[in-house]
Amino acid sequence: MKKYKKFFSVILCAALICVLFSACSSGGGESGEITEDTMLIAYTQEISPFIYMNSSGQLEGFDVDLIKDTFDSFKGDYKNYKFVQVDENYVLGEDPAYTDENGNDYYALIFCGGMHKNQGTYNEDYSWSEDVLKNDIITVVPKSSSVKSYGNIAGAKAGVLNELCANALDENTAVKNNLASLNVYNSSDELFAALDSGAVDAAVIDSFSFYSSGKAQAYTALNGALDSIEYAYAFYKNEDYSEGFNEAVKEMLSPDYGEGDTLTPLVEKYFGFHEACVFTYETE
């Protein structure tokens, strides 16, 4: 009889371990295989620091970590998710994002990768999360510079980082027309080298690049932004998870939920300054 009791106890313990393991494994995660239980999240191109391939061939970035930290809170009936790269003109919920070997089509429900509103028909085509991040186009000068504001920038030689910043300057003709010269640089390292050598007097740069460079302490940013770009996440309207996503991000930001504010450290990790986070969400 004792042998049977011992045997029964072993079986019971094994069963309990299985139940506990199952409970711990019930959370969703990134999937290796795409099935009907997989929510597809689309991006058109790698764009650091939002989503990009690391040296080990794995996707990483702010979007990757944000989805990992929020998915279980908004996933609905989906059990896991998968990032899929799609064409530039891809339409959520309409164009197949993946086709398996049996010819079954799967459609993405979320767009990530530096998405922002007010492009083409995006506002009408999709539901959107609240804005999560803001990238300002700013002008920086050496701390010893005599240029203290846009009011006395006349005659300065300016360097501009990439087309995004050049377009912002084009929209501010009062500033641009007062510059003595203008040169475009392809990297922040080249731009800072020109600023340090005196080849340019001021640098027009986006705040993401500026604060993540590790050189922000050496320069002064003039008050006022030439432009601002807000970044959010687009959702397929007919299967809209934006409210659940907003709630999940709100929980991340809350100091009173779970482990406290985990969103701000994530923003600082990838963008270099916590002010890049502009997320606010109030339920009715």
Side-chain angles (χ1 to χ4, degrees):
M1 186 67 177
K2 289 182 179 179
K3 291 183 178 180
Y4 285 112
K5 286 183 177 180
K6 186 176 180 180
F7 178 75
F8 179 76
S9 297
V10 171
I11 295 299
L12 181 59
C13 287
L16 287 172
I17 290 171
C18 289
V19 169
L20 289 172
F21 181 81
S22 176
C24 292
S25 303
S26 61
E30 187 167 7
S31 174
E33 180 183 1
I34 294 174
T35 70
E36 292 182 352
D37 294 324
T38 306
M39 179 184 289
L40 299 187
I41 302 170
Y43 66 100
T44 56
Q45 60 182 337
E46 294 178 34
I47 176 170
S48 179
F50 293 96
I51 184 168
Y52 57 94
M53 199 76 71
N54 63 22
S55 58
S56 300
Q58 302 295 318
L59 283 176
E60 65 178 39
F62 179 79
D63 290 349
V64 176
D65 284 356
L66 186 67
I67 294 297
K68 179 181 67 176
D69 291 345
T70 57
F71 179 73
D72 281 345
S73 297
F74 73 85
K75 64 182 181 180
D77 293 330
Y78 288 95
K79 292 182 172 58
N80 49 54
Y81 62 89
K82 182 77 172 178
F83 291 100
V84 287
Q85 189 166 12
V86 296
D87 294 334
E88 191 71 32
N89 297 319
Y90 181 82
V91 179
L92 287 178
E94 295 185 12
D95 300 331
Y98 172 77
T99 303
D100 67 18
E101 59 185 10
N102 297 316
N104 298 310
D105 292 332
Y106 298 85
Y107 301 83
L109 302 182
I110 305 176
F111 241 138
C112 72
M115 293 290 293
H116 49 97
K117 305 168 189 175
N118 306 319
Q119 297 185 94
T121 59
Y122 275 1
N123 291 9
E124 295 77 25
D125 293 343
Y126 303 134
S127 296
W128 287 84
S129 72
E130 297 297 322
D131 291 330
V132 177
L133 301 161
K134 185 178 74 166
N135 191 13
D136 290 330
I137 308 302
I138 58 177
T139 302
V140 302
V141 296
K143 286 189 177 295
S144 59
S145 174
S146 61
V147 177
K148 304 299 182 184
S149 70
Y150 288 108
N152 67 339
I153 203 172
K157 298 172 293 184
V160 179
L161 178 66
N162 64 41
E163 186 178 355
L164 178 69
C165 298
N167 290 340
L169 193 55
D170 287 341
E171 296 296 319
N172 290 268
T173 54
V175 175
K176 183 178 180 179
N177 292 342
N178 277 327
L179 298 173
S181 61
L182 185 65
N183 291 300
V184 178
Y185 295 84
N186 294 321
S187 73
S188 58
D189 287 341
E190 292 178 358
L191 179 59
F192 287 130
L195 192 58
D196 292 341
S197 69
V200 298
D201 305 309
V204 179
I205 188 171
D206 67 281
S207 57
F208 287 177
S209 298
F210 179 58
Y211 288 104
S212 63
S213 68
K215 301 179 179 180
Q217 298 299 321
Y219 307 101
T220 299
L222 303 185
N223 288 331
L226 298 174
D227 196 7
S228 296
I229 302 98
E230 291 81 20
Y231 296 92
Y233 297 82
F235 292 79
Y236 178 46
K237 279 187 173 181
N238 290 352
E239 197 170 342
D240 186 2
Y241 288 86
S242 60
E243 287 190 13
F245 176 81
N246 283 331
E247 288 284 359
V249 177
K250 181 179 179 180
E251 290 174 357
M252 282 188 69
L253 186 60
S254 172
D256 303 319
Y257 188 88
E259 299 178 0
D261 178 5
T262 56
L263 180 60
T264 300
L266 191 63
V267 171
E268 290 178 330
K269 173 184 176 180
Y270 285 105
F271 300 99
F273 66 121
H274 68 84
E275 293 89 348
C277 180
V278 294
F279 181 83
T280 58
Y281 180 64
E282 299 295 334
T283 54
E284 297 180 358

